[in-house]
Amino acid sequence: IISEKTIEYQDMLKKRIEYFKRDLELYWEQLQEYVKWGDIKKLSKYAKKSTIIDKKLTLAMAKIDEINEEEAAYGWELSWYPLRKQCADKLLPFKKLFDAGQEFMDKHHLWMHSQVGTYEPEDIEETIGNLYRAVYKLEKQFSDSPNSQRLATGIKVSIDEFKLHLALINTLGNPGMRDRHWEQVSEIIGFPIKKSPEMTLEKVIDYGLAEYVTKFEPISESATKENNLDKSEFNGLFTFKNLIKILKLSRHEQNDK
Protein backbone atom coordinates (compact mmCIF):
# COMPACT_ATOMS: atom_id res chain seq x y z
CA ILE A 1 0.00 0.00 0.00
CA ILE A 2 2.81 2.41 0.95
CA SER A 3 4.57 1.65 -2.32
CA GLU A 4 1.39 2.29 -4.30
CA LYS A 5 0.81 5.62 -2.51
CA THR A 6 4.40 6.67 -3.13
CA ILE A 7 4.02 5.98 -6.85
CA GLU A 8 0.73 7.88 -6.83
CA TYR A 9 2.31 10.93 -5.16
CA GLN A 10 5.27 10.81 -7.53
CA ASP A 11 2.91 10.76 -10.52
CA MET A 12 1.08 13.74 -9.06
CA LEU A 13 4.37 15.59 -8.66
CA LYS A 14 5.30 14.88 -12.29
CA LYS A 15 1.97 16.28 -13.43
CA ARG A 16 2.44 19.41 -11.29
CA ILE A 17 5.85 19.91 -12.85
CA GLU A 18 4.36 19.67 -16.33
CA TYR A 19 1.57 22.11 -15.47
CA PHE A 20 4.13 24.46 -13.95
CA LYS A 21 6.28 24.35 -17.08
CA ARG A 22 3.21 25.20 -19.17
CA ASP A 23 2.46 28.15 -16.89
CA LEU A 24 5.97 29.50 -17.39
CA GLU A 25 5.64 29.09 -21.14
CA LEU A 26 2.33 30.96 -21.00
CA TYR A 27 3.94 33.82 -19.05
CA TRP A 28 6.71 33.99 -21.65
CA GLU A 29 4.17 34.16 -24.47
CA GLN A 30 2.28 36.96 -22.68
CA LEU A 31 5.50 38.93 -22.22
CA GLN A 32 6.15 38.88 -25.96
CA GLU A 33 3.10 41.13 -26.34
CA TYR A 34 4.60 43.87 -24.17
CA VAL A 35 6.70 45.24 -27.03
CA LYS A 36 3.44 46.14 -28.79
CA TRP A 37 2.21 48.30 -25.93
CA GLY A 38 2.77 51.98 -26.61
CA ASP A 39 -0.53 53.78 -25.98
CA ILE A 40 -0.13 56.16 -23.03
CA LYS A 41 -3.92 56.19 -22.58
CA LYS A 42 -3.72 52.49 -21.66
CA LEU A 43 -0.90 52.96 -19.17
CA SER A 44 -3.08 52.00 -16.20
CA LYS A 45 -4.03 48.75 -17.94
CA TYR A 46 -0.37 48.00 -18.72
CA ALA A 47 0.67 48.66 -15.12
CA LYS A 48 -2.02 46.35 -13.73
CA LYS A 49 -1.17 43.50 -16.11
CA SER A 50 2.56 43.75 -15.40
CA THR A 51 1.86 43.71 -11.64
CA ILE A 52 -0.25 40.56 -12.00
CA ILE A 53 2.41 38.65 -13.93
CA ASP A 54 5.10 39.92 -11.56
CA LYS A 55 3.18 38.42 -8.63
CA LYS A 56 2.80 35.15 -10.53
CA LEU A 57 6.54 35.00 -11.15
CA THR A 58 7.18 35.64 -7.45
CA LEU A 59 4.82 32.79 -6.53
CA ALA A 60 6.63 30.65 -9.10
CA MET A 61 9.80 30.89 -7.02
CA ALA A 62 7.94 29.43 -4.05
CA LYS A 63 6.54 26.67 -6.26
CA ILE A 64 10.04 25.79 -7.45
CA ASP A 65 11.19 25.47 -3.84
CA GLU A 66 8.24 23.18 -3.08
CA ILE A 67 8.90 21.03 -6.15
CA ASN A 68 12.62 20.76 -5.35
CA GLU A 69 11.84 19.84 -1.76
CA GLU A 70 9.60 16.96 -2.86
CA GLU A 71 12.13 15.86 -5.49
CA ALA A 72 14.83 15.73 -2.81
CA ALA A 73 12.54 13.63 -0.59
CA TYR A 74 12.22 11.07 -3.38
CA GLY A 75 15.93 11.16 -4.09
CA TRP A 76 15.38 12.66 -7.53
CA GLU A 77 17.69 15.11 -9.26
CA LEU A 78 16.44 18.61 -8.60
CA SER A 79 14.79 20.25 -11.58
CA TRP A 80 15.50 23.86 -12.49
CA TYR A 81 13.54 26.40 -14.46
CA PRO A 82 15.64 29.04 -16.25
CA LEU A 83 12.51 30.24 -18.04
CA ARG A 84 11.24 31.79 -14.80
CA LYS A 85 14.30 34.05 -14.60
CA GLN A 86 14.07 34.80 -18.30
CA CYS A 87 10.49 35.92 -17.76
CA ALA A 88 11.49 38.07 -14.78
CA ASP A 89 14.34 39.67 -16.72
CA LYS A 90 12.06 40.31 -19.70
CA LEU A 91 9.39 41.87 -17.49
CA LEU A 92 11.65 44.15 -15.43
CA PRO A 93 12.21 47.12 -17.78
CA PHE A 94 8.59 47.12 -18.91
CA LYS A 95 7.30 47.08 -15.35
CA LYS A 96 9.67 49.88 -14.37
CA LEU A 97 8.31 51.98 -17.22
CA PHE A 98 4.65 51.22 -16.51
CA ASP A 99 5.08 51.80 -12.77
CA ALA A 100 6.98 55.07 -13.21
CA GLY A 101 4.44 56.32 -15.74
CA GLN A 102 1.48 55.35 -13.60
CA GLU A 103 3.04 56.88 -10.49
CA PHE A 104 3.44 60.16 -12.33
CA MET A 105 -0.14 60.05 -13.60
CA ASP A 106 -1.47 59.35 -10.10
CA LYS A 107 0.68 62.05 -8.47
CA HIS A 108 -0.15 64.51 -11.24
CA HIS A 109 -3.87 64.06 -10.61
CA LEU A 110 -3.34 64.38 -6.85
CA TRP A 111 -1.22 67.53 -7.06
CA MET A 112 -3.41 69.23 -9.67
CA HIS A 113 -6.68 68.66 -7.80
CA SER A 114 -5.53 69.28 -4.23
CA GLN A 115 -5.53 72.63 -2.50
CA VAL A 116 -2.42 74.53 -3.50
CA GLY A 117 0.20 74.27 -0.75
CA THR A 118 -1.02 70.90 0.51
CA TYR A 119 2.22 69.21 -0.50
CA GLU A 120 5.77 70.41 0.07
CA PRO A 121 7.21 71.85 -3.15
CA GLU A 122 10.55 70.22 -2.39
CA ASP A 123 8.89 66.78 -2.21
CA ILE A 124 7.08 67.36 -5.49
CA GLU A 125 10.28 68.49 -7.20
CA GLU A 126 12.21 65.49 -5.84
CA THR A 127 9.54 63.03 -7.00
CA ILE A 128 9.41 64.62 -10.45
CA GLY A 129 13.20 64.51 -10.73
CA ASN A 130 13.38 60.83 -9.76
CA LEU A 131 10.61 59.81 -12.15
CA TYR A 132 12.09 61.81 -15.00
CA ARG A 133 15.52 60.22 -14.60
CA ALA A 134 14.00 56.72 -14.45
CA VAL A 135 11.92 57.24 -17.60
CA TYR A 136 14.82 58.91 -19.42
CA LYS A 137 17.02 55.84 -18.84
CA LEU A 138 14.25 53.50 -19.96
CA GLU A 139 13.66 55.55 -23.10
CA LYS A 140 17.29 54.93 -24.05
CA GLN A 141 17.05 51.27 -23.05
CA PHE A 142 14.08 50.69 -25.37
CA SER A 143 15.94 51.92 -28.46
CA ASP A 144 15.13 48.62 -30.20
CA SER A 145 11.45 48.65 -29.19
CA PRO A 146 9.66 51.49 -31.04
CA ASN A 147 6.34 51.16 -29.19
CA SER A 148 7.93 51.02 -25.74
CA GLN A 149 10.22 53.92 -26.57
CA ARG A 150 7.25 55.93 -27.82
CA LEU A 151 5.47 55.29 -24.54
CA ALA A 152 8.55 56.32 -22.55
CA THR A 153 8.86 59.47 -24.65
CA GLY A 154 5.19 60.28 -24.08
CA ILE A 155 5.58 59.94 -20.32
CA LYS A 156 8.75 62.04 -20.38
CA VAL A 157 6.99 64.79 -22.35
CA SER A 158 4.14 64.79 -19.80
CA ILE A 159 6.66 65.17 -16.98
CA ASP A 160 8.42 67.98 -18.87
CA GLU A 161 5.10 69.79 -19.25
CA PHE A 162 4.43 69.52 -15.53
CA LYS A 163 7.95 70.74 -14.71
CA LEU A 164 6.97 74.06 -16.28
CA HIS A 165 4.70 74.60 -13.26
CA LEU A 166 7.39 74.01 -10.64
CA ALA A 167 8.19 77.72 -10.31
CA LEU A 168 4.53 78.40 -9.54
CA ILE A 169 4.43 75.46 -7.12
CA ASN A 170 7.55 76.71 -5.32
CA THR A 171 5.95 80.13 -4.77
CA LEU A 172 2.17 79.92 -4.39
CA GLY A 173 2.48 76.29 -3.28
CA ASN A 174 4.61 77.31 -0.31
CA PRO A 175 2.89 75.85 2.81
CA GLY A 176 4.09 78.91 4.74
CA MET A 177 1.85 81.27 2.79
CA ARG A 178 -0.65 82.98 5.12
CA ASP A 179 -3.67 85.19 4.46
CA ARG A 180 -1.53 88.33 4.50
CA HIS A 181 0.68 86.85 1.81
CA TRP A 182 -2.31 85.99 -0.35
CA GLU A 183 -3.49 89.57 0.02
CA GLN A 184 -0.17 90.71 -1.45
CA VAL A 185 -0.61 88.21 -4.30
CA SER A 186 -4.09 89.60 -4.95
CA GLU A 187 -2.69 93.12 -5.24
CA ILE A 188 -0.18 91.94 -7.84
CA ILE A 189 -2.62 90.03 -10.07
CA GLY A 190 -5.44 92.57 -9.78
CA PHE A 191 -8.20 90.35 -8.38
CA PRO A 192 -8.85 88.70 -4.99
CA ILE A 193 -7.44 85.25 -4.43
CA LYS A 194 -7.11 83.31 -1.19
CA LYS A 195 -6.12 79.89 0.05
CA SER A 196 -9.08 77.49 0.19
CA PRO A 197 -9.95 73.87 -0.68
CA GLU A 198 -11.28 75.14 -4.01
CA MET A 199 -8.01 76.91 -4.83
CA THR A 200 -6.30 73.95 -6.48
CA LEU A 201 -3.05 73.96 -8.44
CA GLU A 202 -5.10 73.39 -11.60
CA LYS A 203 -7.11 76.52 -10.92
CA VAL A 204 -4.01 78.58 -10.17
CA ILE A 205 -2.52 77.48 -13.51
CA ASP A 206 -5.77 78.23 -15.34
CA TYR A 207 -5.69 81.77 -13.93
CA GLY A 208 -2.48 82.29 -15.89
CA LEU A 209 -0.48 83.33 -12.83
CA ALA A 210 2.81 81.91 -14.10
CA GLU A 211 3.71 85.28 -15.64
CA TYR A 212 3.82 86.80 -12.14
CA VAL A 213 6.19 84.23 -10.63
CA THR A 214 9.11 86.65 -10.31
CA LYS A 215 6.85 88.99 -8.30
CA PHE A 216 5.61 86.10 -6.14
CA GLU A 217 9.14 84.96 -5.21
CA PRO A 218 9.83 87.72 -2.60
CA ILE A 219 6.45 87.04 -0.99
CA SER A 220 7.13 83.30 -0.84
CA GLU A 221 10.62 83.85 0.59
CA SER A 222 9.17 86.14 3.26
CA ALA A 223 6.50 83.51 4.05
CA THR A 224 9.19 80.85 4.48
CA LYS A 225 11.21 83.03 6.85
CA GLU A 226 8.13 83.92 8.90
CA ASN A 227 7.03 80.30 9.03
CA ASN A 228 10.48 79.16 10.18
CA LEU A 229 10.48 81.88 12.85
CA ASP A 230 7.04 80.77 14.06
CA LYS A 231 8.28 77.18 14.30
CA SER A 232 11.39 78.28 16.16
CA GLU A 233 9.36 80.28 18.65
CA PHE A 234 6.95 77.38 19.13
CA ASN A 235 9.79 74.93 19.71
CA GLY A 236 11.41 77.37 22.12
CA LEU A 237 8.15 77.77 24.04
CA PHE A 238 7.65 74.00 24.07
CA THR A 239 11.18 73.51 25.45
CA PHE A 240 10.63 76.21 28.07
CA LYS A 241 7.38 74.60 29.25
CA ASN A 242 9.11 71.24 29.52
CA LEU A 243 11.88 72.83 31.56
CA ILE A 244 9.32 74.31 33.96
CA LYS A 245 7.71 70.89 34.38
CA ILE A 246 11.09 69.29 35.10
CA LEU A 247 11.93 71.94 37.70
CA LYS A 248 8.54 71.52 39.41
CA LEU A 249 8.95 67.75 39.45
CA SER A 250 12.43 68.11 40.91
CA ARG A 251 11.08 70.37 43.69
CA HIS A 252 8.35 67.87 44.54
CA GLU A 253 10.92 65.10 44.77
CA GLN A 254 13.11 67.21 47.08
CA ASN A 255 10.11 68.08 49.28
CA ASP A 256 9.21 64.39 49.54
CA LYS A 257 12.70 63.68 50.88
Side-chain angles (χ1 to χ4, degrees), residues 5 30 97 144 160 179 248:
K5 281 294 182 184
Q30 291 174 355
L97 178 61
D144 296 330
D160 273 328
D179 289 342
K248 285 182 178 180

Side-chain angles (χ1 to χ4, degrees), residues 3-256:
S3 178
E4 290 177 0
K5 281 294 182 184
T6 300
I7 294 173
E8 182 182 341
Y9 291 145
Q10 289 178 343
D11 288 340
M12 289 172 62
L13 176 58
K14 290 176 182 177
K15 288 180 181 179
R16 281 170 50 211
I17 290 173
E18 287 303 313
Y19 290 146
F20 181 61
K21 287 179 178 178
R22 289 176 194 170
D23 285 342
L24 292 178
E25 290 169 0
L26 179 61
Y27 302 156
W28 182 252
E29 289 176 11
Q30 291 174 355
L31 287 167
Q32 304 316 303
E33 296 294 311
Y34 281 35
V35 293
K36 301 177 183 178
W37 296 357
D39 187 350
I40 198 169
K41 293 179 182 178
K42 296 180 179 179
L43 186 57
S44 177
K45 177 183 176 182
Y46 300 158
K48 288 177 182 177
K49 285 194 171 184
S50 66
T51 296
I52 290 172
I53 198 167
D54 183 55
K55 288 180 178 178
K56 288 180 178 179
L57 289 171
T58 299
L59 290 173
M61 292 180 67
K63 286 184 179 180
I64 291 172
D65 289 339
E66 291 175 4
I67 289 171
N68 288 163
E69 188 176 341
E70 290 186 47
E71 288 172 332
Y74 293 130
W76 294 357
E77 182 179 349
L78 302 186
S79 56
W80 61 298
Y81 306 87
L83 187 56
R84 196 219 70 86
K85 187 177 186 306
Q86 290 172 21
C87 286
D89 292 343
K90 180 80 172 178
L91 171 66
L92 186 59
F94 291 103
K95 190 171 190 305
K96 282 184 177 180
L97 178 61
F98 303 152
D99 286 351
Q102 190 58 45
E103 182 181 353
F104 170 70
M105 295 301 179
D106 291 342
K107 291 286 177 65
H108 179 273
H109 184 272
L110 182 66
W111 293 329
M112 292 293 283
H113 298 93
S114 296
Q115 177 178 311
V116 65
T118 300
Y119 300 96
E120 289 284 350
E122 290 181 1
D123 294 340
I124 293 176
E125 197 162 0
E126 182 181 2
T127 299
I128 287 297
N130 291 337
L131 290 173
Y132 185 88
R133 284 188 291 273
V135 174
Y136 178 82
K137 290 179 182 178
L138 289 164
E139 182 187 34
K140 299 296 182 184
Q141 189 174 340
F142 282 120
S143 58
D144 296 330
S145 303
N147 292 318
S148 304
Q149 189 173 58
R150 186 174 72 250
L151 178 59
T153 301
I155 296 169
K156 195 181 73 171
V157 168
S158 296
I159 296 175
D160 273 328
E161 290 173 352
F162 183 80
K163 285 166 72 175
L164 296 175
H165 306 310
L166 287 177
L168 199 57
I169 292 169
N170 283 320
T171 51
L172 298 188
N174 184 343
M177 294 278 283
R178 301 290 184 264
D179 289 342
R180 58 183 176 276
H181 302 121
W182 285 102
E183 288 173 4
Q184 294 174 32
V185 169
S186 298
E187 291 176 6
I188 291 172
I189 62 179
F191 60 88
I193 184 174
K194 63 180 180 178
K195 198 170 183 178
S196 69
E198 291 74 31
M199 186 53 61
T200 63
L201 176 59
E202 184 178 53
K203 187 170 288 187
V204 168
I205 293 170
D206 288 343
Y207 281 154
L209 304 186
E211 62 179 289
Y212 302 103
V213 164
T214 54
K215 295 182 179 180
F216 296 154
E217 286 173 351
I219 299 173
S220 179
E221 290 173 5
S222 176
T224 298
K225 291 177 181 178
E226 291 174 23
N227 191 44
N228 290 338
L229 183 61
D230 289 342
K231 288 180 180 179
S232 178
E233 290 178 350
F234 175 79
N235 290 334
L237 180 61
F238 181 76
T239 303
F240 179 73
K241 287 182 177 180
N242 280 346
L243 180 60
I244 295 297
K245 288 181 180 179
I246 292 171
L247 289 173
K248 285 182 178 180
L249 182 61
S250 178
R251 286 179 183 175
H252 284 308
E253 289 178 348
Q254 289 178 357
N255 290 336
D256 291 341

